[in-house]
Amino acid sequence: MKYRTPVVAGAFVAALLVFSPVKAAWVEAESENFIYIGNTGESKARTILSRLETYRAAVLALGGVKGAPEVRKVHVYGLRNSSHIEDVTGVSGIGGIYTKAENYPLFVTSTRTSSRASTATAYHEYSHHLLSSYSTTFVPRWYNEGFAEFLGQMTIADGTITVGLPPASVAIGFSLEPSLQKSSRSDWKYVTTVTNAITRYPFDNSADASTFYTMSWVAVHYLQNTAELRDGLVNYLDLLNKGVEAKPAFENGFGIDQAEFAERLRQYWSDNKYRNVKFRAADIIPEEPEIATRKLSGDEVDLALWEPRVIFLGSGEEYARKRASVRTKLLRDIEKHGFVVPLVAALKRLEFIEKNYSAAVEIARRGMEQDPDSLEAAYLLADSLYHRYTSDRKTYASDLPRSREMLAAILEADPSHPSANSHYPDTVLMLGESPDELAIRAARFNLTYN
């Protein structure tokens, strides 16, 4: 069976709503590495993608990495402020969030007109993707966030790239103003909590979060500008990746006691001499990227918001009420638009969270009936069959060969489809067959992509 790829990729991703005093048209913008949707007007959309493409090129070049284009374009969803981000994603008190969805990386960010802070937030979230894409090493939470803050403050203006500037809004944690740099030594003991944050965030409220991000930035800035400790980073990460606990990994890796490190950071902050490095942009950044834009209809905008509404939904019982509310809204939109791909994808995700795989199969089947030539609709059904089979192999034995056949057709049409590449070799092995050429290619893709 042959399937066509969607003509408008943004029709089933999320909306990018950018506050502006002038009501602008909703547009979709697409460049080599990004897809963006927002009511910013075409000129603003081009500016946002141009900045992201430029930032990407600069970071990779400065890191000595010869970067190929993204395997799957990054989907950028910008919402006007943290309140709107919470309304859409359900995550509170944040300026942005990054994740890797099934078939592409994505991030949500706050985007406001002429705001350095909003640009830095977009850079910050994309930095997480770059770090995960170009490193095979697990990086602890504190360094991941501090490094994203460090990179996110990059400026590109008047032909010059500047790296190492302090965050414009860093005063939410501690003030950069000399007159306010009288934080006590006891405040800086929190550094130990920061550097022990390996897999989880060590805060419960926005005030603690501000301190965590500020101290993480200071720690990374200090390490970047302190040769003997910067060289210890490799040892530290190596110990963590071997399973050594946070405190001994830090102290043995860097060769410094955590309490002494906290005191050094306090002094570094008080000295307020944050080194920054400047580069000529012309030596690093390629010519202006090509960006295509088009206006979106009201229906396309309605559909576009569903990706971020479901991608961050929690699976625990404590999120059951939120999921029920989202489901009610989603079913209302299905009544209006039918079983179109973005709504099928959202409802399938809800059923997967609650392990209702038979319901997911039926939903995806109806999506295929409504749009039989859609590659994405085919994937949603193949994936639902795959997971229903793995949930009960005896009852749903016939699902596996059906899923395998559909996955093969999807890969023939789209060889870089991440989930199809992930599942297809499994179906071959579960059917007890020898890997065919398609399975070998899929395994090779998985090694590179993941």
Side-chain angles (χ1 to χ4, degrees), residues 234-251:
V234 174
N235 296 330
Y236 166 63
L237 294 177
D238 182 58
L239 290 171
L240 276 183
N241 280 265
K242 289 178 178 176
V244 178
E245 294 294 322
K247 186 176 188 294
F250 185 93
E251 296 185 343

Side-chain angles (χ1 to χ4, degrees), residues 93-115:
I94 61 171
I97 186 169
Y98 164 81
T99 191
K100 200 174 203 179
E102 282 185 283
N103 293 306
Y104 43 78
L106 64 87
F107 66 86
V108 177
T109 183
S110 170
T111 308
R112 297 181 299 277
T113 302
S114 302
S115 168

Side-chain angles (χ1 to χ4, degrees), residues 355-374:
K355 301 187 186 308
N356 297 327
Y357 299 114
S358 288
V361 169
E362 176 59 20
I363 292 160
R365 184 186 63 78
R366 295 186 68 175
M368 276 288 288
E369 288 178 352
Q370 181 155 335
D371 198 350
D373 295 325
S374 167

Side-chain angles (χ1 to χ4, degrees), residues 76-309:
V76 184
Y77 319 135
L79 305 176
R80 61 182 174 267
N81 50 38
S82 60
S83 177
H84 196 202
I85 290 175
E86 180 178 3
D87 178 61
V88 173
T89 69
V91 184
S92 62
I94 61 171
I97 186 169
Y98 164 81
T99 191
K100 200 174 203 179
E102 282 185 283
N103 293 306
Y104 43 78
L106 64 87
F107 66 86
V108 177
T109 183
S110 170
T111 308
R112 297 181 299 277
T113 302
S114 302
S115 168
R116 177 189 164 190
S118 62
T119 299
T121 299
Y123 289 173
H124 175 110
E125 296 308 325
Y126 186 56
S127 296
H128 288 310
H129 171 65
L130 289 175
L131 191 60
S132 68
S133 297
Y134 287 92
S135 173
T136 58
T137 302
F138 166 76
V139 178
R141 182 72 70 186
W142 72 270
Y143 191 88
N144 200 324
E145 293 296 350
F147 193 64
E149 281 289 278
F150 180 80
L151 285 180
Q153 304 309 314
M154 179 187 295
T155 62
I156 306 167
D158 300 324
T160 300
I161 299 171
T162 305
V163 182
L165 294 169
S169 59
V170 78
I172 57 177
F174 291 98
S175 177
L176 286 178
E177 294 298 322
S179 62
L180 298 176
Q181 289 182 3
K182 296 181 179 179
S183 302
S184 69
R185 281 176 167 78
S186 62
D187 293 332
W188 287 89
K189 290 181 179 179
Y190 184 68
V191 169
T192 299
T193 301
V194 171
T195 54
N196 287 338
I198 306 303
T199 60
R200 296 176 181 272
Y201 292 102
F203 51 79
D204 298 316
N205 56 61
S206 59
D208 288 346
S210 299
T211 303
F212 171 77
Y213 278 94
T214 300
M215 286 190 170
S216 294
W217 172 80
V218 177
V220 170
H221 199 286
Y222 178 65
L223 291 172
Q224 289 289 322
N225 289 283
T226 309
E228 67 271 19
L229 294 184
R230 185 175 64 241
D231 294 342
L233 179 62
V234 174
N235 296 330
Y236 166 63
L237 294 177
D238 182 58
L239 290 171
L240 276 183
N241 280 265
K242 289 178 178 176
V244 178
E245 294 294 322
K247 186 176 188 294
F250 185 93
E251 296 185 343
N252 292 327
F254 287 111
I256 183 173
D257 181 84
Q258 284 183 320
E260 181 183 347
F261 184 70
E263 175 59 22
R264 287 197 191 185
L265 288 194
R266 187 193 69 79
Q267 189 62 50
Y268 188 71
W269 180 276
S270 296
D271 290 344
N272 194 14
K273 296 176 181 177
Y274 303 112
R275 290 182 57 194
N276 57 73
V277 183
K278 297 182 184 296
F279 302 88
R280 280 186 33 163
D283 296 335
I284 293 174
I285 300 173
E287 60 189 41
E288 188 71 16
E290 292 185 9
I291 298 171
T293 63
R294 74 176 191 90
K295 294 181 180 180
L296 297 179
S297 69
D299 283 350
E300 286 174 319
V301 174
D302 286 343
L303 298 176
L305 272 171
W306 276 105
E307 180 79 35
R309 287 196 187 282

